[in-house]
Amino acid sequence: MTLQESEHDDAISYKAINKKCILVDMLTKALDIIAIEAVTRIQTKTHGGIRFVEDLFEPSPMECWSILLASNNAAGLAASSWLFGFSASVEMSHAPNWNVGNFLESYPAEKNLATSTWCQSGHSQRLVHALMHSDSDASRKFLECNTLYCSIRAEDCFAASWAHFFEVVAAGCIKSKGGKEVQKLMNSLTECSLASLTSVSESKTISESILSSQGLSESPDTTPIGDLCSLLLYSLSVSSAFDDTENNEDLLLGMFGSLYESANRLFAMTQLGSATSSNQVAVCSIRQRLLSCALVIISKFEKLSDKRTRERSIKYNEIRIGLTNLAVNALQSLQCVQGGSPEAEAINDAFKPSKFSYDFACKGENGDSTFQLLRTSISLLSQLSPTSHDYSNYQSHSYGVDFTSCFKQRNALQQLQYHLSAASSVSSLTYQAVHGGTASQSVALIHSNTVDIVKLIMTLLQTLVDSGSSTVSTLLLLAESGCFRSLIDNQLLKATSVAWAPKSGMVDDSASLIVKRHRGYNAPVQTHLSGSRPTSQKDLVHEIWLVVVNTYASLLRSIRQQSSTHEKVDEQIVSQLAPMSKIVFDFVCTYERGLFSCFAALFNEVHAQGNLSNKGGKTSFSSSIQSSSFAFTSNLLQECEAVSFLFAELCTGNTRAHFLRSCGSIYKKILKASVELAKMTSSFLGSIGNARELFMALSDAKAMLDQPSAMMDAHPLLAEGIPNARHEAIRNAHFAHSCCILATKEDFRDAHTATTKDASGESESTHNSTSSLEQSFQIHVNNKFIAEVEQVAGCCLFNSLAVVANAHPASESFVSLTPEEASQLDVAAMINPGAVVAVCPQNTTAQSLKRYRIQKPQSASYARTIRCDRSTRSITVKYVKSGEIEHVPWSWLVGMEDTSKKHSLFSYLPAAKSIADADVRGQPSLGHLVLALKWCRHFSSSSSSLNDATTPPMYLVNSVAERASILLCTEVLLHDELRDSHSRRDETTRKINMQLLDLFGSDFDSSSLSAVMNEDVLESIKLQLKDQLHEASLEREEEKKMWEEQTNWDNASFFGGKKREGRRSPFRSLSRKTSSDFS
């Protein structure tokens, strides 16, 4: 009888069972020997390596392995467990049990046995008495159990050996086989392992049910299950590394369902109180591997198309909710025990603890398995948590509600807060030693483990807060559990937030402080020698701080969205959401110094740069170029992004008014800090955009050498000549370079990894003595590091512009009026000539008007006041859009300006010719907004030459362009209205108008920003700036005509020569060039 045939018989003879045990034992020994031989051949690279066992993992053998591994018998498992319990009950745990040979000697005749009848014998104590008579029925039942015990033990040993053997095979195939072969093997191993786990877990469930009816418990041996879980995790992990296009949703969903069913059964069999302390390692290890397998499968499934059928979505969500329950179950089973295990566990090995203990020191195997279970459980919950972008259909929204309900029923948030409190308490004690560099290896290990747990839990909470924007029950549950208050009182944040913050949090008062270490890094700042590389390491606690700041910012956004949704639907929910904003206000007040100190650090970090040799060295030429007055590391800029995001949310919607009333002084500091941040980030980004555009123009000019006909089409950036353009490109590149501090080895590596072909070629020739300055500076603005910080700086700029736009005094300078209020008001006494009013027919309802905010066309029209007539109660106005003059009654006014609130935040200065001049200006100016828009324009004109993977996303560029354009329009109009008529004709006005024309174009020219801005927004801005654009357009035409009349185009030399009187025209064309001009 073959092994496969024996699995399908209901009644099996003792001889057949004996044959199976012998064959399985032989397979086990053979696999062990082959595994040793395979390891030897693989390591020595002799005798074909892994090839000699290829026949064992072909499709046909793999099918046989799968059938054999899935041959677990429920009655056999129960018999095995019963025999283990019986031996223990008579204090024979270490005595040899009956074997098949003894049974055959007593019963030489072959007899059939029904494996399901053995459990009818009753409790073990009755059997002890019955075994005194060898011919009794009880004795026969005992021997039957012993026979099944041998069979199950053989199968278990075989499963463990098989798993070990194929781990060796898999490792050897990865090194010697191609990707497709390895992937095929891993998929087969995954299917076999999962099928075996399914069979084992099902059989164990049945056997446990049989045993529980007899008052008995199952055998604690979990070795085969642990080995199979290990192989399943290994094969899934390796398989996920390949881009498996053949994976389909049904296959993965089936695997996902099988894994959950197996995990659910195994979790039930390893629940608290059922495992002894000696078996705790194996139990926690099995649980951890099962949850890790779920993580891998979810990751693979999410990579597939998100457009799933309704049935698949429902099944997928049901499995995820089930796994959420298991992950929370794992958290509830763990407790933190610092300094050792409970005393009872140490005294009695049979003690069954109420919870599994973990130690942050991870001493020994026990601490490691439980701690890893903690990490994996939290990671899985983060993966299972609904996210804000998931709510595209009803099933996704329903999943968010079910997930929250599961969390509430299982008290998951209380468990998370317990583990968060334990980890935060320990890490707050170890932080100073680690941050100061005096910690021992054991203390550093404890600190790393605790900070890891804190970060995982904080990240999970942030994900839940984000999902609250779509599921209000999640927000209410978080508030009810006290999570937001607990973050404010977190011991780790309180102990460490002051470690990197200077004594003063103001931007202007901290520039002279001596920086001992980079903010957000552990290693002290070093005095870099020429050619040395940075060695700082990122402070993980600082990353936690960023997560917390982003969490509170996301909380404000979720509250605003949910309040808007339920405003007219459920007033009770709105009343429950209102107090949450005050919690954010309390957080800002508690950590005010830490929040504002990051902006001061932008100036402090300049003193930590030394001689800038940590950025790859400097030339004698670069030492003579002006560097920036501020500098930042990657961590510091990310902190500025997080804090500015929080500030932007505080100044949005109704939250702004509440925050202004509650924290007026902090509100003013936020506006001031945001304006300064906008100035610095626009200077940095503007220098990058200018440098890249100039380098590209110079590259195009070189290409023109072979195209004489193109010499007449000069690039506008080269109007001052190629030498000047090259010099300006270098100055801008150096400025951007001086803003960045390379704090880690990774930063240094990325800063020398070019992102464009030109920069890559130049970086290789940087050390060549004949390489030009232009070549050596190319990589400063075209490398991987600056591409990363560029995107973060873009987010900082957008957030700061959002604060300035929402908190701008002009945003509240327009007062809305009803027709009744306008008719009863003495308009002549309140409105002076030149004031802007909103005119609307009397039968139109009034609405809130924002003159300095671009919005969709409304029925109201804006007009400038010419005069008021009290006798006729009318006003003469000139419409902004059409220019028509009309007499309208006072009752038609639906809005007017409050001139007392009209003042600007940016000085009236154009973008400086030198980027260094723009940096040293005290007050932020209109020129900084122009620089920001030039950076946005750069992407519209050069997107094809940039690597898409290293450039900021276009939606960010679009958002910055629109924000900066609207704010620039607002400031220009304010300055024009507030200044006298004489000052409007000066040289500064002319330069600003020309720069506006360069950005937005005239009525006859297309805007250079059209590719990065919404057409309606752009047209609205051009409409409001039509006077400025018209004046600049006329001046440009006059200048062009004058230049064409005075210049002899045939004899004009583009490269130097006699200096001309007056300004150089931007309309000059190239005439004659030689190859020496481009050297």
Side-chain angles (χ1 to χ4, degrees), residues 1028-1062:
Q1028 291 80 4
L1029 297 177
H1030 180 66
E1031 291 180 6
S1033 181
L1034 292 177
E1035 183 173 354
R1036 173 176 287 185
E1037 290 298 326
E1038 293 177 1
E1039 186 179 64
K1040 184 176 181 179
K1041 291 179 182 178
M1042 183 181 300
W1043 187 263
E1044 289 176 349
E1045 293 174 358
Q1046 295 179 356
T1047 304
N1048 184 350
W1049 292 94
D1050 294 333
N1051 298 325
S1053 175
F1054 182 76
F1055 302 97
K1058 182 179 180 181
K1059 186 175 180 181
R1060 301 181 184 275
E1061 298 290 337

Side-chain angles (χ1 to χ4, degrees), residues 202-348:
E202 185 177 1
S203 298
K204 281 186 172 291
T205 301
I206 297 174
S207 64
E208 184 178 19
S209 176
I210 297 174
L211 290 168
S212 62
S213 65
Q214 302 276 324
L216 302 174
S217 60
E218 194 179 358
S219 171
D221 186 18
T222 56
T223 303
I225 298 177
D227 291 338
L228 288 172
C229 289
S230 177
L231 179 60
L232 176 61
L233 178 59
Y234 179 78
S235 58
L236 277 173
S237 301
V238 176
S239 178
S240 64
F242 295 94
D243 187 13
D244 192 355
T245 56
E246 298 180 358
N247 267 340
N248 59 73
E249 290 188 352
D250 290 332
L251 176 63
L252 283 177
L253 205 54
M255 293 173 54
F256 200 25
S258 299
L259 176 66
Y260 165 65
E261 292 173 359
S262 301
N264 192 32
R265 299 187 192 107
L266 293 174
F267 264 68
M269 287 180 284
T270 58
Q271 59 187 339
L272 293 171
S274 64
T276 61
S277 59
S278 60
N279 205 34
Q280 176 176 324
V281 175
V283 169
C284 291
S285 179
I286 289 174
R287 290 187 165 198
Q288 186 268 333
R289 289 166 182 169
L290 289 171
L291 297 183
S292 297
C293 290
L295 272 172
V296 178
I297 294 180
I298 292 174
S299 178
K300 295 178 66 174
F301 191 80
E302 291 294 339
K303 291 179 181 179
L304 301 178
S305 174
D306 56 355
K307 296 181 180 179
R308 307 183 184 99
T309 63
R310 180 176 179 273
E311 292 74 17
R312 289 173 180 170
S313 297
I314 292 175
K315 183 178 180 180
Y316 181 57
N317 292 340
E318 288 177 350
I319 298 173
R320 288 199 292 170
I321 293 298
L323 285 170
T324 300
N325 187 64
L326 294 182
V328 175
N329 179 293
L331 288 179
Q332 292 174 333
S333 68
L334 299 173
Q335 65 177 354
C336 177
V337 181
Q338 284 299 112
S341 302
E343 294 182 2
E345 184 176 347
I347 296 174
N348 185 7

Side-chain angles (χ1 to χ4, degrees), residues 358-416:
Y358 66 87
D359 189 341
F360 290 118
C362 291
K363 295 179 180 179
E365 188 180 13
N366 179 57
D368 185 68
S369 63
T370 51
F371 178 74
Q372 293 303 323
L373 176 59
L374 175 65
R375 291 184 72 257
T376 305
S377 301
I378 301 172
S379 299
L380 181 59
L381 287 176
S382 296
Q383 189 72 26
L384 294 170
S385 297
T387 56
S388 56
H389 65 270
D390 279 344
Y391 297 93
S392 56
N393 51 49
Y394 173 77
Q395 283 75 29
S396 298
H397 183 270
S398 176
Y399 173 74
V401 175
D402 293 341
F403 182 90
T404 304
S405 177
C406 179
F407 253 50
K408 186 174 183 178
Q409 292 175 3
R410 300 300 304 271
N411 294 322
L413 291 176
Q414 284 72 17
Q415 295 298 322
L416 288 171

Side-chain angles (χ1 to χ4, degrees), residues 366-619:
N366 179 57
D368 185 68
S369 63
T370 51
F371 178 74
Q372 293 303 323
L373 176 59
L374 175 65
R375 291 184 72 257
T376 305
S377 301
I378 301 172
S379 299
L380 181 59
L381 287 176
S382 296
Q383 189 72 26
L384 294 170
S385 297
T387 56
S388 56
H389 65 270
D390 279 344
Y391 297 93
S392 56
N393 51 49
Y394 173 77
Q395 283 75 29
S396 298
H397 183 270
S398 176
Y399 173 74
V401 175
D402 293 341
F403 182 90
T404 304
S405 177
C406 179
F407 253 50
K408 186 174 183 178
Q409 292 175 3
R410 300 300 304 271
N411 294 322
L413 291 176
Q414 284 72 17
Q415 295 298 322
L416 288 171
Q417 290 186 73
Y418 164 77
H419 296 294
L420 175 62
S421 176
S424 299
S425 177
V426 176
S427 58
S428 64
L429 300 175
T430 59
Y431 180 75
Q432 292 298 333
V434 173
H435 193 59
T438 60
S440 62
Q441 185 176 1
S442 59
V443 172
L445 176 62
I446 293 174
H447 179 76
S448 176
N449 289 335
T450 54
V451 169
D452 187 28
I453 296 300
V454 173
K455 185 179 179 181
L456 286 173
I457 296 177
M458 293 290 194
T459 304
L460 171 58
L461 293 178
Q462 182 186 4
T463 304
L464 293 175
V465 171
D466 282 335
S467 67
S469 61
S470 301
T471 307
V472 68
S473 58
T474 304
L475 278 183
L476 298 178
L477 178 62
L478 288 168
E480 180 183 346
S481 64
C483 286
F484 303 130
R485 287 290 180 187
S486 66
L487 294 185
I488 298 178
D489 300 328
N490 185 270
Q491 298 182 48
L492 178 61
L493 291 182
K494 284 192 171 183
T496 60
S497 62
V498 297
W500 53 74
K503 294 182 179 180
S504 174
M506 295 299 296
V507 174
D508 298 336
D509 300 337
S510 306
S512 61
L513 294 177
I514 298 177
V515 179
K516 297 182 179 180
R517 63 171 53 84
H518 293 306
R519 184 183 178 100
Y521 297 86
N522 281 333
V525 173
Q526 301 178 356
T527 303
H528 295 283
L529 302 175
S530 178
S532 63
R533 298 190 177 187
T535 58
S536 297
Q537 295 181 348
K538 290 187 176 182
D539 185 0
L540 297 180
V541 178
H542 186 261
E543 295 181 7
I544 293 174
W545 165 249
L546 302 189
V547 173
V548 173
V549 174
N550 280 314
T551 299
Y552 281 104
S554 299
L555 175 59
L556 287 176
R557 182 175 56 189
S558 298
I559 293 172
R560 185 178 69 254
Q561 293 178 356
Q562 290 294 345
S563 298
S564 176
T565 302
H566 295 85
E567 184 177 6
K568 298 181 180 180
V569 179
D570 195 331
E571 294 182 358
Q572 183 178 0
I573 290 181
V574 176
S575 63
Q576 291 177 295
L577 293 173
M580 297 185 195
S581 298
K582 296 181 180 179
I583 298 178
V584 184
F585 299 166
D586 292 343
F587 170 77
V588 174
C589 294
T590 303
Y591 294 95
E592 176 184 355
R593 193 179 80 175
L595 291 170
F596 284 96
S597 62
C598 70
F599 302 113
L602 291 169
F603 297 101
N604 299 335
E605 291 286 355
V606 175
H607 304 288
Q609 292 190 76
N611 58 5
L612 298 177
S613 61
N614 61 329
K615 294 187 282 188
K618 62 179 182 179
T619 65

Side-chain angles (χ1 to χ4, degrees), residues 10-39:
D10 294 330
I12 307 173
S13 65
Y14 289 110
K15 185 176 293 186
I17 294 177
N18 189 37
K19 286 181 179 180
K20 178 178 178 179
C21 292
I22 295 173
L23 290 175
V24 172
D25 285 339
M26 290 174 62
L27 280 175
T28 302
K29 295 296 183 182
L31 286 176
D32 290 340
I33 295 172
I34 296 173
I36 296 173
E37 180 68 16
V39 170

